[in-house]
Amino acid sequence: MKEKQYILKKSETFNLKDIFECGQCFRWNEEENGSYTGIWKENIVNIKKEGQDFVFTGICKNGNFEEEIQKYFDLDRNYEQIKKELAKKDKYMKTSIAYGKGIRILNQDLWETIISFIISANNNIPRIKGIIEKLAKAYGNTIEWNGKKYYTFPTPRQLKDVTVEEYRKLGLGFRDIRLYETTKMILDGRVDLQELKNNPNTTEVREKLLTLSGVGPKVADCILLFSDLKRLEVFPIDVWVRRVMNDLYIKNEDEAKVSKKQIEKIAKNKFGNLAGLAQQYLFYWRREA
DNA sequence: GTCCAGGGAATCA
DNA sequence: TGATTCCATGGA
């Protein structure tokens, strides 16, 4: 396969660490030279910052290299405008946006995002990454690039005959049955992924996602926000978001007593249809800074 | 040994 | 609806 290249000129809304370490994706890894290499669909790409520019080098089996990149990295969206809008809300938004100013919300494959965030339940990011890598190595396709092997995320069909026991051996723990059941539901059409993409009604799509095994409110919202469903108005609430929302806005001395509804209400009133972006700036800032 | 991790589902009030 | 409890696993 022929290696391709794409160059993104200096940008105030594109930063490798912010994009790949903000918790939205699990298949990008930092190289020794500070660049990142990752895989999505059949694309394997390394991104290296050269001076002020970003150099994308890699292979692309289907489609146009540049178009694939523009879509995946959400390059057509005006993040400068979004940041400006959110920064007006309050000093905390201003601070968190300044910290994660290069975040972009990726358009990740819906199926891959569903499975990845089912695995994320009550789990930590390094282990989530490890499990997904093992899953890809066991059941995905192998692509070689620069003498290294990479593995595509397995399709629903590639997981069709995988047993619960085999999942357990990969280290999935109690999530094994969830993966098994959800794969079945998608394969037999009880949940039609293409239909979800075509449905503009986020509430309806969310309801449908919640029928999947292992998908609760938080995972559903992550899927809505981080996949190519790209619903920026949802507000996933995990332990970190609960923490930061309580610290900043609610100030309950017992964090565990803060209800989801309380948080949701504040998020909606304050951030409106950009709540998902706000959530991501707050999450990244609270977890890293 | 204990606690925690981008929670969900079952159970019970 | 809302609160509790259990669920594998690995690292700190």
Side-chain angles (χ1 to χ4, degrees):
Chain A
M1 228 175 297
K2 199 178 163 205
E3 187 171 283
K4 309 211 169 135
Q5 198 170 79
Y6 170 77
I7 293 176
L8 177 68
K9 291 292 182 187
K10 174 179 176 168
S11 169
E12 299 295 330
T13 60
F14 191 100
N15 177 278
L16 297 176
K17 182 174 181 296
D18 295 346
I19 292 169
F20 298 129
E21 310 285 351
C22 74
Q24 63 176 322
C25 57
F26 304 106
R27 301 210 68 197
W28 288 84
N29 295 300
E30 189 176 11
E31 306 283 358
E32 286 181 9
N33 64 6
S35 69
Y36 279 80
T37 305
I39 177 167
W40 80 96
K41 296 202 278 187
E42 306 260 306
N43 306 312
I44 300 163
V45 175
N46 172 267
I47 312 175
K48 190 172 190 319
K49 192 171 183 188
E50 308 249 10
Q52 295 294 315
D53 298 339
F54 296 94
V55 180
F56 296 64
T57 311
I59 51 179
C60 167
K61 192 169 174 188
N62 302 310
N64 174 282
F65 190 61
E66 183 173 337
E67 285 173 12
E68 290 288 300
I69 288 169
Q70 292 202 347
K71 173 68 181 163
Y72 184 73
F73 287 94
D74 210 27
L75 294 183
D76 292 332
R77 198 182 307 276
N78 187 344
Y79 279 74
E80 209 53 72
Q81 183 60 37
I82 290 172
K83 290 196 293 180
K84 204 179 289 176
E85 189 81 17
L86 281 175
K88 282 191 290 192
K89 304 298 181 185
D90 61 37
K91 59 180 176 181
Y92 305 123
M93 278 318 298
K94 197 175 270 183
T95 304
S96 62
I97 288 172
Y99 183 81
K101 56 179 181 281
I103 288 178
R104 302 191 81 84
I105 306 296
L106 301 169
N107 288 301
Q108 304 184 79
D109 176 71
L110 175 56
W111 154 254
E112 176 174 341
T113 310
I114 290 170
I115 299 301
S116 298
F117 278 93
I118 288 174
I119 295 170
S120 80
N122 199 20
N123 212 339
N124 59 67
I125 292 179
R127 203 163 83 90
I128 298 166
K129 290 176 77 169
I131 291 171
I132 292 174
E133 206 52 38
K134 279 189 269 187
L135 197 63
K137 187 170 183 178
Y139 306 109
N141 299 329
T142 306
I143 301 179
E144 208 168 315
W145 181 49
N146 281 343
K148 250 191 95 178
K149 285 180 177 171
Y150 297 87
Y151 308 95
T152 61
F153 194 84
T155 62
R157 195 129 38 103
Q158 284 176 312
L159 296 186
K160 188 168 85 70
D161 298 318
V162 181
T163 64
V164 176
E165 290 71 26
E166 287 171 310
Y167 284 136
R168 182 61 65 98
K169 277 186 199 153
L170 289 182
L172 271 152
F174 59 84
R175 308 159 194 86
D176 52 5
I177 184 72
R178 309 299 170 203
L179 217 63
Y180 177 83
E181 291 175 341
T182 282
T183 301
K184 277 197 137 180
M185 293 176 75
I186 289 171
L187 277 170
D188 68 22
R190 271 177 282 175
V191 174
D192 184 334
L193 300 187
Q194 196 54 49
E195 202 174 287
L196 296 185
K197 289 189 196 186
N198 294 335
N199 188 347
N201 185 325
T202 298
T203 308
E204 285 180 15
V205 178
R206 190 168 191 273
E207 288 301 313
K208 199 75 187 173
L209 287 172
L210 287 172
T211 67
L212 292 169
S213 179
V215 177
K218 189 269 177 183
V219 168
D221 285 342
C222 283
I223 295 166
L224 286 163
L225 181 58
F226 299 139
S227 77
D228 44 19
L229 291 173
K230 199 41 87 261
R231 310 299 160 102
L232 299 182
E233 70 271 30
V234 302
F235 194 81
I237 299 171
D238 70 341
V239 290
W240 291 99
V241 174
R242 179 185 301 277
R243 202 165 294 161
V244 68
M245 291 297 280
N246 185 43
D247 289 351
L248 301 183
Y249 304 116
I250 302 170
K251 303 182 192 297
N252 192 321
E253 53 189 29
D254 187 354
E255 187 183 296
K257 284 197 164 60
V258 180
S259 75
K260 271 193 74 171
K261 284 203 166 176
Q262 213 175 340
I263 298 173
E264 274 163 2
K265 192 171 171 188
I266 295 172
K268 188 169 183 186
N269 289 338
K270 209 168 187 56
F271 309 125
N273 62 353
L274 293 177
L277 271 302
Q279 184 269 5
Q280 205 50 21
Y281 290 119
L282 289 171
F283 171 85
Y284 183 53
W285 173 56
R286 183 64 176 80
R287 203 169 64 92
E288 302 264 329

